[in-house]
Amino acid sequence: QGVGVGFSGPDSSQSIALVNLILSGLVVVLLLLALPWRRMRWPVPMPWDIFRRVSYANLRMVCPEVYAMDSVVLEVTQLEPSKFGNVKSEDATLPLQELLEWAVAHPYTGYKGGIARLVGKILWLDSENPDLTSEIAGFNDIDLIYFLQDGEEHKKDEMKALVDQGLTIGGIPVEAQDVEYSYDTVGNILATRDLTQNQCIVVSDGDGKVFLINAKICREHMLRSMTGPATASEVSTLDDRGNVIARPRVVGRALVQWMKGRARHIELSQHTTSFYKQQKLPKMTMFQIFAKAKGNEMYMKVYTELVRLGFVEKQQYPHVLWGECYAHVNSLIARHGYRLELESELNSEAVERWKEAKYAEQLSRTRVSAFRDFRFHHLVLDESFLVPYSLADTALTHSLKMHTTGADSSEHPSHAHLAHLRQIRSSAAMHVEGGSIISLTGFEQTQVGRTFEMGGSEDEGSRTRTLRRAAFQSSKTRRRAARHCRPSAGAEPLWQAHLHGSLGFLAAFLVNCVAAVLYILVINHLLGPFWLLAAAATSLLGAWLFIRSANDAMLNVLTAMYLALLNIKTEAFTTRMFSEVWSRLVGDTRALQGVLEACNDLSIESLTVLGTLFAILGLAASAPSCDSKPVWNALFVAFSAGALMAAMSLLACFSLRSNSRLTRSMIGYMYADMFSTLSNFFEVKSMAEKFASAKATYEEIQDANLEQRKKLTLIHQLMQIFLRYTELACIMLAVYKLFHTTTAGTSAECLHSYSVFAVSVPILLSAIRRACEALLQLSSSIGSLERLFLLSRALLRMATPRFDGINQLSGDVVLEIPHEFTYCLGSAQFGPFAKIPALAAAKTGQLNVMAMPRSSGATTFAKLLLRMHDAPAKIKLNGEHVEHYELETINFSVHIIDHAPLPCSVARTPGQGSSIGEYVQMGLDDMGMPLQPCLEQAGIWSKVVNLPNGIESTDWASNMSKPEALRVQLAQAIFRISLGAVRLLLIIDPLRNCNECELESARMTWTKALEPL
């Protein structure tokens, strides 16, 4: 006499519950077996972590761990060239005796790399040792080193000329890129090598002797057939948790040595191994490894080892990985207009440029790492750390030790070696001397976590800090942003806003807990129905607290990302980034808010589930005299239904997550295409082919996007229907069985308990359903959150510090370029190059002219002066190199007037989209010179007043000639100078684009405008 199909049997509810549990188990097993499970790599640190409150006093310098088998005293072995002769293998003959005799004939020259390793292995290993055989067979070039002292530049030039003319030693050609000119000590040379087996060198002295000099760890590793990263800061970095690990490049170098049979084992630290198992080797490093693999057998050997180590994902077709790496590297080179060539040659001059660019990049990367690691971990890798290798001062090595004491002149013109750059007494960020942190800057006074107008290391009340605060306040007033910031002049640290946001979320959670308790008490009849109003009011308060905290958190996160964007390296910003950043920081705010709301709903419904469950169990325990079988039967049904709903929701979440990521990627692509199209609106309007192409592209992308959204919505709707009807069926079954099993003689107390159970079970199932729906909603929006994380991590890795150097330009400013130099903008061999001439001291109070041919690099010189590019030890301001000044000080003190298109700017003309008043005065009209005098001094006022809309014109650059638009930039410079912070004005080619008949008048106009300055 059951009611409905399936309810007639005595154990129907248990059977259905068991079926639910079996289906749930199958779904979980399917997820475990079918999905490629990977740990979700949470991008640590996140961009808003940069605003955490940290103290300079808590800073701790860390350095790589020294090998236990190493020693600071270098081992020296005198060599007799006549005892070596020719070294032969199956396919190669190496004239080792002739190579050693050449070093003896050329004092203070020697060999590093393969020849030095070979000499060491001949001395220490058996002749049949496979490592020695592989070393001989793998020999392919000569790595030459030449130790010089100050004043011996002529010797360097002679050697460079000799190499470029085709120097051969023993019939083996010497290539320019394989020659190193060092002003450093032997100890520092070995301490800065990349691998332990490379910490050896063959070098001659002035007395006709030649030596093998090696670190102890080099000999020990060769005897044990091992290799590993050397103990050097240059080949180390910090991971996301502050542990010292080896850089990818040196890991790749170690794998290449292993692949070529020069070692049978690779010694890596535990942190290094763990990091690359999680993050995998970058494609550039894999390219460097696979490019050295000769033949399929060697390729598969190293591929199998990388998979075993967990450094790469296993591929269905292993050789596809080489193609992906090759394409990746080729895409990086193609941006300079070249293609990848595996075999290429460089002359000595190109090698010098390549090395200087390499060391400049390393210096820039060091500053970024110190800035980021200091903020995130209170840890900074001590870049000045070197293992203090030294030669014992004996009669045998006295001549060599005296010659290679290292150059100590900071004015040396070559700066060709990183060790020499290290000896310059830098005033840039932090370094260590004698175990103590030394800083000549205001880095430690930097107020961490301040908003736009704060954060500088200048003294309170200084002009630059006043200008920064005024600019921030002006922007708030004009953009109506005051209601999003604190009323205390915007001086509240963002880390405090982050703290308030965290406390707000906690308060919202606690208030929701109180609402859930009130709700459960009403269900149990411990409180009257009117208390539901109190529960509703409490829930409303929790919702208000959550929304406020969510807005604070989103403001903090998005502002932090925007600051990270503004702080990225100039060369890292491209126009293609514009659409991605815009969509993340502007278009995705609603999606991000939806993610937070889904998290809040999930927590609320989870509380409701737990509260209802505790209420049911508590009531069952308080009425032991009643028959508990129907209660446990109902709970079993509810549990099985909840398990099924959770398992199916989890299965759907992976599909929704995948579709969400694909949808966001397609939207990002559509943003990029729209930006590209609208940026060339005139061309699209005037060319039928571009018009048709733009229309077809948009239609295809939008159609695919809508199709993907349809799939996303369909999965979501299907799961909602499944959850709703599963809940309804289980409620009917559980409640029916609960009342069906009660007898006529049941006591009133038990009937009361059963009625409470009958109310609680539907509430429990409904809460489980809503929690699953919140999880589905979260998965539908997770694509936006993941792309935000990826963009955040990318911005952080490209961020540069603004407050990490000398923070003031005192006295009269003197600009100086001691020596002319060439800066490489692309290929070290083919260019393009910027040729910067020498400049005698340019002083305050006069017009200083530096003559450069057009297209020779004047704009690049401006970038170098503004620290947009790095060229260490080239340009001086007040006797200090430009890179020693903090970026904020440079930006306040130097003003550049250049021709459009401006460097790294999406705008095609200066001031695009701004009125003349906004562009010239930057919203600070109440602080500096009035607008009209600025324009009059620049000689452009008469033109401005005749423009449509006058000073309110926003398309003024299009209605002016190029020389006139350049004078509007001059007016802006005059206004900035009147503010009192600009100390140096650099004008690039002011008479460019002037007609022949206009040259004299333009020259007089500029002279008249600049004379008061």
Side-chain angles (χ1 to χ4, degrees):
Q1 298 179 359
V3 180
V5 178
F7 289 174
S8 59
D11 296 323
S12 59
S13 60
Q14 289 90 338
S15 301
I16 294 175
L18 286 174
V19 171
N20 288 344
L21 289 178
I22 292 172
L23 288 176
S24 303
L26 289 176
V27 170
V28 172
V29 171
L30 178 65
L31 290 175
L32 290 174
L33 296 179
L35 291 176
W37 283 89
R38 302 174 186 170
R39 187 182 68 86
M40 184 175 180
R41 299 169 191 161
W42 190 269
V44 179
M46 294 301 292
W48 48 88
D49 290 338
I50 203 170
F51 297 102
R52 291 190 304 173
R53 190 176 190 180
V54 295
S55 170
Y56 185 79
N58 296 332
L59 174 65
R60 185 163 62 90
M61 307 295 284
V62 293
C63 58
E65 185 178 355
V66 180
Y67 288 100
M69 294 184 293
D70 205 1
S71 172
V72 297
V73 179
L74 295 174
E75 300 177 347
V76 181
T77 306
Q78 185 175 0
L79 305 175
E80 291 292 339
S82 59
K83 295 182 178 180
F84 283 87
N86 293 337
V87 179
K88 298 182 179 180
S89 66
E90 295 180 358
D91 302 322
T93 300
L94 178 62
L96 193 55
Q97 178 179 349
E98 191 171 347
L99 291 171
L100 297 177
E101 289 174 348
W102 187 92
V104 172
H106 297 78
Y108 306 112
T109 61
Y111 308 100
K112 57 181 183 176
I115 294 180
R117 288 196 308 270
L118 179 59
V119 170
K121 291 181 179 181
I122 290 175
L123 293 177
W124 302 324
L125 303 180
D126 297 333
S127 59
E128 301 299 326
N129 191 291
D131 291 0
L132 176 57
T133 305
S134 299
E135 194 72 62
I136 298 173
F139 174 81
N140 55 9
D141 62 357
I142 296 177
D143 292 318
L144 198 65
I145 187 168
Y146 193 2
F147 287 95
L148 301 168
Q149 290 183 322
D150 279 338
E152 294 185 344
E153 285 72 33
H154 63 284
K155 294 184 178 180
K156 177 181 177 180
D157 294 337
E158 291 171 0
M159 180 62 74
K160 288 168 63 176
L162 193 61
V163 170
D164 290 340
Q165 290 170 6
L167 172 64
T168 60
I169 305 176
I172 302 173
V174 178
E175 299 181 354
Q177 61 264 32
D178 295 329
V179 183
E180 179 177 349
Y181 306 93
S182 176
Y183 295 84
D184 212 339
T185 65
V186 173
N188 282 353
I189 289 293
L190 294 183
T192 54
R193 300 294 284 163
D194 53 357
L195 299 174
T196 54
Q197 282 206 14
N198 289 339
Q199 290 184 290
C200 56
I201 189 173
V202 173
V203 63
S204 62
D205 65 2
D207 300 328
K209 297 189 292 290
V210 61
F211 306 95
L212 171 67
I213 304 175
N214 63 276
K216 182 183 177 184
I217 187 63
C218 175
R219 178 172 56 83
E220 294 290 344
H221 268 190
M222 286 185 181
L223 291 173
R224 290 169 171 78
S225 188
M226 298 175 67
T227 188
T231 305
S233 296
E234 296 169 12
V235 298
S236 304
T237 185
L238 295 184
D239 65 8
D240 292 335
R241 292 172 177 81
N243 302 311
V244 180
I245 63 171
R247 293 187 184 274
R249 179 181 60 84
V250 73
V251 173
R253 294 269 293 171
L255 283 163
V256 169
Q257 276 197 351
W258 173 88
M259 176 181 66
K260 292 184 175 181
R262 295 166 186 171
R264 294 192 297 273
H265 308 284
I266 301 175
E267 185 172 359
L268 298 175
S269 68
Q270 181 180 355
H271 293 309
T272 299
T273 304
S274 300
F275 178 79
Y276 291 112
K277 278 185 177 180
Q278 295 173 1
Q279 303 296 337
K280 310 305 178 187
L281 284 177
K283 287 186 177 179
M284 177 64 78
T285 302
M286 288 192 286
F287 171 82
Q288 293 168 344
I289 297 172
F290 294 144
K292 299 294 184 180
K294 296 181 179 179
N296 184 63
E297 182 178 353
M298 187 175 289
Y299 177 88
M300 291 304 299
K301 173 186 175 182
V302 71
Y303 166 78
T304 304
E305 179 66 11
L306 287 171
V307 173
R308 186 191 70 81
L309 292 172
F311 290 178
V312 300
E313 296 287 352
K314 188 175 182 180
Q315 305 287 318
Q316 182 178 4
Y317 303 103
H319 292 84
V320 171
L321 190 60
W322 164 242
E324 292 176 353
C325 298
Y326 190 96
H328 171 74
V329 176
N330 201 42
S331 67
L332 297 179
I333 297 177
R335 68 183 60 175
H336 300 297
Y338 308 104
R339 64 182 177 86
L340 178 61
E341 296 181 6
L342 295 180
E343 302 294 338
S344 59
E345 296 182 359
L346 300 175
N347 57 26
S348 297
E349 187 178 358
V351 171
E352 291 290 316
R353 289 193 292 264
W354 172 73
K355 287 185 177 181
E356 289 201 2
K358 172 184 173 183
Y359 300 143
E361 180 185 0
Q362 187 164 356
L363 175 63
S364 174
R365 187 169 61 243
T366 297
R367 298 179 78 140
V368 173
S369 299
F371 164 72
R372 187 173 59 234
D373 296 336
F374 170 56
R375 293 293 196 268
F376 294 138
H377 310 303
H378 294 188
L379 302 173
V380 172
L381 184 65
D382 182 6
E383 294 288 344
S384 65
F385 171 79
L386 290 175
V387 178
Y389 290 134
S390 62
L391 289 171
D393 194 359
T394 64
L396 185 66
T397 61
H398 180 73
S399 173
L400 182 63
K401 184 177 178 65
M402 292 303 295
H403 183 85
T404 59
T405 53
D408 195 33
S409 171
S410 62
E411 297 300 325
H412 198 279
S414 69
H415 299 286
H417 193 270
L418 181 61
H420 180 65
L421 293 176
R422 187 187 299 111
Q423 290 182 1
I424 298 175
R425 290 176 173 80
S426 171
S427 302
M430 299 162 290
H431 59 281
V432 173
E433 290 182 9
S436 301
I437 299 171
I438 306 298
S439 176
L440 304 178
T441 74
F443 190 89
E444 63 272 24
Q445 280 81 40
T446 300
Q447 300 190 33
V448 181
R450 298 291 180 176
T451 45
F452 287 103
E453 88 293 0
M454 304 296 286
S457 56
E458 317 93 341
D459 296 332
E460 187 65 37
S462 65
R463 187 61 177 169
T464 52
R465 176 160 290 187
T466 301
L467 289 175
R468 191 186 295 110
R469 182 180 290 111
F472 182 75
Q473 287 296 328
S474 173
S475 177
K476 282 174 56 178
T477 302
R478 288 186 291 117
R479 308 298 182 191
R480 301 284 184 182
R483 55 193 174 89
H484 296 296
C485 304
R486 296 288 179 255
S488 57
E492 181 181 13
L494 279 183
W495 62 266
Q496 288 185 6
H498 181 54
L499 181 62
H500 293 167
S502 302
L503 293 178
F505 285 123
L506 179 61
F509 179 77
L510 295 177
V511 169
N512 287 329
C513 288
V514 173
V517 170
L518 291 175
Y519 191 54
I520 298 306
L521 292 177
V522 173
I523 293 175
N524 286 344
H525 294 186
L526 298 177
L527 294 177
F530 289 104
W531 280 94
L532 285 176
L533 297 177
T538 308
S539 298
L540 182 62
L541 176 61
W544 179 81
L545 287 173
F546 174 81
I547 292 173
R548 183 187 175 200
S549 302
N551 285 344
D552 288 343
M554 288 183 61
L555 176 65
N556 186 25
V557 170
L558 296 175
T559 304
M561 279 193 63
Y562 190 66
L563 282 177
L565 171 65
L566 295 179
N567 281 329
I568 67 172
K569 294 182 290 188
T570 309
E571 61 269 20
F573 182 81
T574 63
T575 54
R576 292 193 174 190
M577 288 184 62
F578 181 87
S579 56
E580 178 71 14
V581 174
W582 178 82
S583 61
R584 299 284 81 79
L585 299 185
V586 179
D588 277 357
T589 53
R590 184 66 189 92
L592 297 177
Q593 193 169 12
V595 170
L596 293 175
E597 291 174 355
C599 293
N600 184 54
D601 293 341
L602 185 61
S603 65
I604 292 175
E605 300 307 333
S606 301
L607 287 173
T608 305
V609 170
L610 292 175
T612 308
L613 189 60
F614 286 143
I616 294 175
L617 296 176
L619 191 60
S622 64
S625 59
C626 301
D627 184 13
S628 61
K629 183 177 179 180
V631 176
W632 294 114
N633 187 26
L635 276 180
F636 184 55
V637 172
F639 172 75
S640 64
L644 181 61
M645 287 192 287
M648 294 301 295
S649 298
L650 187 62
L651 179 62
C653 281
F654 286 98
S655 178
L656 288 172
R657 175 176 177 262
S658 176
N659 282 277
S660 174
R661 295 175 66 182
L662 186 58
T663 300
R664 297 312 306 173
S665 297
M666 296 177 68
I667 290 176
Y669 182 76
M670 186 171 65
Y671 282 151
D673 181 74
M674 285 286 293
F675 173 75
S676 176
T677 301
L678 297 180
S679 299
N680 299 277
F681 192 71
F682 177 80
E683 289 86 347
V684 173
K685 290 283 291 182
S686 60
M687 299 181 190
E689 296 87 349
K690 284 196 172 185
F691 186 92
S693 175
K695 176 181 177 297
T697 303
Y698 178 82
E699 184 177 0
E700 288 293 326
I701 299 173
Q702 192 64 273
D703 179 62
N705 179 38
L706 292 175
E707 182 66 24
Q708 198 64 35
R709 283 179 175 270
K710 184 186 73 175
K711 295 179 182 178
L712 194 69
T713 305
L714 184 61
I715 296 174
H716 202 174
Q717 291 293 332
L718 181 63
M719 281 305 304
Q720 284 184 331
I721 293 173
F722 170 79
L723 294 173
R724 189 177 302 116
Y725 282 93
T726 301
E727 175 200 3
L728 180 61
C730 291
I731 287 177
M732 293 173 60
L733 178 62
V735 174
Y736 167 78
K737 297 297 294 183
L738 187 64
F739 283 101
H740 182 71
T741 53
T742 56
T743 61
T746 305
S747 64
E749 180 183 359
C750 292
L751 287 175
H752 173 265
S753 299
Y754 292 153
S755 66
V756 173
F757 292 147
V759 173
S760 300
V761 170
I763 293 176
L764 176 64
L765 289 170
S766 179
I768 293 175
R769 175 183 60 81
R770 292 195 299 270
C772 292
E773 288 179 347
L775 186 61
L776 293 174
Q777 182 62 40
L778 178 63
S779 300
S780 299
S781 306
I782 202 68
S784 298
L785 191 63
E786 289 187 351
R787 288 183 69 86
L788 179 73
F789 287 163
L790 293 174
L791 180 61
S792 303
R793 191 180 184 111
L795 293 178
L796 279 173
R797 293 196 178 280
M798 296 183 291
T800 56
R802 293 185 65 82
F803 310 107
D804 66 334
I806 302 173
N807 59 8
Q808 59 181 353
L809 278 170
S810 57
D812 291 340
V813 175
V814 178
L815 174 65
E816 182 184 4
I817 305 177
H819 307 279
E820 65 177 11
F821 65 94
T822 300
Y823 183 80
C824 177
L825 296 168
S827 164
Q829 185 167 5
F830 303 108
F833 305 111
K835 301 183 182 299
I836 313 299
L839 176 66
K843 300 179 180 179
T844 302
Q846 65 186 40
L847 186 65
N848 303 272
V849 178
M850 183 168 70
M852 297 177 64
R854 283 178 181 160
S855 301
S856 64
T859 296
T860 301
F861 170 62
K863 291 182 181 181
L864 294 172
L865 187 58
L866 289 173
R867 278 193 53 195
M868 291 182 178
H869 292 327
D870 290 305
K874 301 296 185 184
I875 304 172
K876 283 188 172 184
L877 270 179
N878 281 11
E880 291 284 350
H881 292 110
V882 170
E883 61 271 14
H884 294 171
Y885 289 93
E886 68 178 22
L887 190 58
E888 190 81 352
T889 298
I890 291 292
N891 291 164
F892 267 117
S893 304
V894 179
H895 186 92
I896 307 293
I897 298 178
D898 197 1
H899 296 268
L902 298 177
C904 308
S905 177
V906 178
R908 296 187 175 184
T909 58
Q912 180 175 309
S914 301
S915 68
I916 290 182
E918 291 175 343
Y919 175 70
V920 172
Q921 295 185 303
M922 302 173 291
L924 303 175
D925 44 290
D926 58 338
M927 296 190 64
M929 185 184 295
L931 178 62
Q932 182 174 344
C934 290
L935 295 171
E936 287 177 344
Q937 184 174 338
I940 199 64
W941 172 253
S942 59
K943 177 67 177 181
V944 170
V945 295
N946 290 306
L947 287 175
N949 302 317
I951 61 174
E952 299 299 327
S953 172
T954 57
D955 57 353
W956 51 271
S958 302
N959 295 323
M960 289 183 175
S961 64
K962 291 183 178 180
E964 291 170 340
L966 196 66
R967 289 206 291 273
V968 176
Q969 290 190 56
L970 174 60
Q972 184 191 58
I974 293 170
F975 177 80
R976 283 197 70 197
I977 292 171
S978 71
L979 295 175
V982 175
R983 308 291 305 281
L984 174 64
L985 173 62
L986 175 64
I987 307 167
I988 296 178
D989 202 357
L991 301 182
R992 188 174 187 173
N993 299 313
C994 291
N995 296 326
E996 191 69 29
C997 59
E998 300 173 338
L999 279 176
E1000 192 59 34
S1001 61
R1003 182 180 290 107
M1004 293 178 61
T1005 301
W1006 278 90
T1007 304
K1008 183 179 179 181
L1010 295 175
E1011 188 174 357
L1013 307 181

